[in-house]
C-alpha cells in the first residue's frame, strides 16, 4: 500500500488520464506534440531530455520504484541490494529513452544503427540468408522493442515484420505510430484484429512480431495466459506465440535488442523453437510456451535494468 504522497500522486495521474480520455482532441494534440518534438530536435538532445525525464519520474514515483524492485528481486540476488537499486533507476531512464526513440523511428540518425554501433549475435545462423524467408514468429521482450524493428530493418534481416500492437484507444493516434513503424519495414496489426490477421500473415509466408514476456490480460486479474515458473516464481505468459506456431508450423525465433552502451546495441538471436508434433495440440502449446519463456527469461536476466516492468509481473510477491 502506498503512503499519502503515493495516493495523492496516483490520484493526480489518474485525473490526467481521465482528462485525456474525456477529451479525445486534447489527447491527440498531446501525442502529436510529443511525436513532433521528439522527431524535430537533434537525437542527442532528445536522449538527454528523455534521460532527465526518466530520472525525475524515478525520484517522485515511490510506488513505481517499489513495483520495479519487486520484479527485479526475482532476477538480481538479495545479496546485491546496491545493484538492484541501480537497476531500478536505470529501468526508468532506459524506458524514457526507448519511448523517445520510438517516437522518432522514421527519423533516426543514420549513425545510430551503423555497423560499428550495432552488433548481431546469431550463433545458430538464423539470419545467415538475408532477408530470411518466412513464415516465422519473432518474439521479444519489453526492452527496446520498437527500436528492434529499426535494427532488423537496417540489417535487412526480414523483408517486413507484421507486428501485433496494442491500440491507444484512438485511431488517429494509432495511425501516428503505424506511420513511424512503416518507415522501418513494419506493418502494425492492432490487437483487436490480430488473431485472424496473424494466421493469415503466417500462412502467406510472412514474419510476425510479438512481445512474449508477460500476458497483459493477467495484469488485470483475468487469469488469462499460461501459468509458468519464471525465475522461481509463478507468472502468466501469453500463449499466442506458441499457439500460432502450432497452428501454422512456423518456428518461434526469440530475439532481443540490448544496449551495450549509451549509443551501442547488441541484437541477440536465440535458437529457433518448433512445436513437438508428437504431443497433443494443447500439450504442444504448453511445451513450446515453456521453452520460449525460458529463452526470453535469459534475455531479461542479461540486462534486467533494460526490462520494462512497471506492473507486478509475478503472481506472488
Amino acid at each position: 500500500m502506498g503512503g499519502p504522497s503515493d495516493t495523492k500522486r496516483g490520484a493526480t495521474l489518474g485525473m490526467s488520464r481521465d482528462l485525456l480520455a474525456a477529451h479525445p482532441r486534447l489527447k491527440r494534440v498531446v501525442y502529436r506534440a510529443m511525436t513532433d518534438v521528439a522527431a524535430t530536435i537533434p537525437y542527442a538532445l532528445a536522449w538527454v531530455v528523455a534521460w532527465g525525464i526518466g530520472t525525475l519520474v524515478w525520484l517522485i514515483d515511490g510506488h513505481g520504484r517499489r513495483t520495479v524492485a519487486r520484479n527485479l528481486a526475482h532476477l538480481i540476488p538479495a545479496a546485491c541490494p546496491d545493484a538492484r537499486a541501480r537497476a531500478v533507476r536505470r529501468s526508468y531512464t532506459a524506458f524514457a529513452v526507448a519511448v523517445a526513440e520510438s517516437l522518432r523511428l522514421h527519423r533516426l540518425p543514420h549513425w545510430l544503427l551503423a555497423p560499428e554501433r550495432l552488433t548481431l549475435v546469431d550463433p545458430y545462423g538464423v539470419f545467415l540468408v538475408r532477408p530470411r524467408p518466412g513464415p516465422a514468429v519473432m518474439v521479444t521482450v519489453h526492452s527496446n522493442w520498437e527500436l528492434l524493428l529499426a535494427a532488423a530493418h537496417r540489417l535487412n534481416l526480414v523483408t517486413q515484420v507484421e507486428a501485433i500492437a496494442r491500440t491507444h484507444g484512438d485511431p488517429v493516434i494509432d495511425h501516428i505510430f503505424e506511420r513511424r513503424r512503416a518507415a522501418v519495414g513494419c506493418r502494425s496489426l492492432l490487437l483487436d484484429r490480430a488473431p485472424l490477421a496473424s494466421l493469415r500473415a503466417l500462412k502467406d509466408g510472412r514474419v510476425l512480431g510479438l512481445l512474449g514476456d508477460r500476458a497483459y490480460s493477467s495484469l488485470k486479474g483475468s487469469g488469462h495466459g499460461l501459468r509458468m515458473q519464471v525465475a522461481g516464481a509463478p507468472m502468466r505468459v501469453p500463449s499466442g506465440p506458441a499457439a500460432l506456431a502450432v497452428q501454422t508450423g512456423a518456428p518461434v525465433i526469440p530475439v532481443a535488442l540490448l544496449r551495450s552502451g549509451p549509443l551501442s546495441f547488441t541484437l541477440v538471436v536465440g535458437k529457433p523453437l518448433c512445436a513437438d508434433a508428437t504431443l497433443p495440440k494443447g500439450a504442444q502449446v504448453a511445451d513450446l510456451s515453456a521453452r520460449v519463456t525460458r529463452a526470453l527469461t535469459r534475455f531479461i536476466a542479461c540486462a534486467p535494468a533494460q526490462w520494462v516492468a512497471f506492473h507486478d509481473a509475478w503472481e506472488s510477491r
Side-chain angles (χ1 to χ4, degrees):
M1 296 293 290
S5 60
D6 293 326
T7 303
K8 183 177 180 180
R9 181 165 55 255
T12 302
L13 293 174
M15 289 172 62
S16 300
R17 287 193 296 267
D18 293 342
L19 178 64
L20 292 178
H23 298 83
R25 290 185 179 179
L26 176 60
K27 185 177 180 179
R28 292 174 185 177
V29 169
V30 170
Y31 269 85
R32 281 175 172 160
M34 289 168 55
T35 55
D36 289 345
V37 170
T40 301
I41 64 177
Y43 174 84
L45 179 58
W47 195 99
V48 171
V49 170
W51 188 92
I53 291 173
T55 301
L56 177 61
V57 175
W58 167 76
L59 284 170
I60 66 175
D61 187 18
H63 176 73
R65 288 199 305 270
R66 288 190 288 274
T67 301
V68 175
R70 282 195 297 270
N71 288 327
L72 295 185
H74 295 271
L75 303 164
I76 301 176
C80 305
D82 292 341
R84 188 183 300 170
R86 288 194 300 269
V88 171
R89 176 176 55 82
R90 290 173 181 169
S91 293
Y92 280 84
T93 55
F95 176 57
V97 171
V99 169
E101 290 168 340
S102 71
L103 293 174
R104 59 180 299 147
L105 277 182
H106 63 308
R107 293 194 62 185
L108 290 171
H110 185 77
W111 54 262
L112 180 63
L113 298 175
E116 63 270 20
R117 297 183 183 274
L118 176 59
T119 302
L120 177 66
V121 178
D122 185 10
Y124 300 98
V126 177
F127 295 105
L128 192 60
V129 176
R130 304 184 199 177
R132 187 187 194 279
V137 179
M138 287 177 57
V139 61
T140 189
V141 299
H142 287 77
S143 176
N144 306 304
W145 64 99
E146 295 275 4
L147 194 62
L148 172 61
L149 297 171
H153 180 68
R154 179 66 61 86
L155 294 173
N156 195 33
L157 300 187
V158 294
T159 303
Q160 177 175 291
V161 176
E162 313 273 328
I164 296 179
R166 300 181 75 202
T167 179
H168 292 81
D170 187 317
V172 173
I173 297 174
D174 288 337
H175 188 55
I176 290 174
F177 285 91
E178 287 171 8
R179 290 201 309 270
R180 277 144 181 75
R181 295 185 187 117
V184 293
C186 173
R187 187 170 75 98
S188 298
L189 302 177
L190 293 182
L191 200 57
D192 57 351
R193 59 174 184 263
L196 290 178
S198 300
L199 283 173
R200 190 178 304 115
L202 291 173
K203 290 180 178 179
D204 289 343
R206 297 199 288 273
V207 176
L208 194 66
L210 297 90
L211 288 160
D213 53 320
R214 59 180 177 266
Y216 271 106
S217 55
S218 68
L219 299 177
K220 300 178 181 179
S222 64
H224 292 176
L226 295 175
R227 195 170 186 265
M228 297 281 176
Q229 286 292 315
V230 180
M235 177 193 291
R236 290 196 175 271
V237 301
S239 60
L244 288 167
V246 168
Q247 292 183 64
T248 62
V252 179
I253 304 174
V255 295
L257 183 69
L258 305 175
R259 289 184 186 273
S260 50
L263 297 174
S264 58
F265 305 88
T266 300
L267 201 165
V268 186
V269 183
K271 181 181 180 180
L273 304 172
C274 298
D276 184 351
T278 65
L279 299 174
K281 286 292 179 68
Q284 287 185 45
V285 173
D287 171 71
L288 184 54
S289 293
R291 287 185 280 138
V292 171
T293 299
R294 286 195 292 271
L296 297 182
T297 302
R298 286 194 290 271
F299 289 153
I300 295 171
C302 286
Q306 298 181 37
W307 185 43
V308 177
F310 293 100
H311 300 85
D312 282 300
W314 276 267
E315 290 188 340
S316 60
R317 297 181 181 179

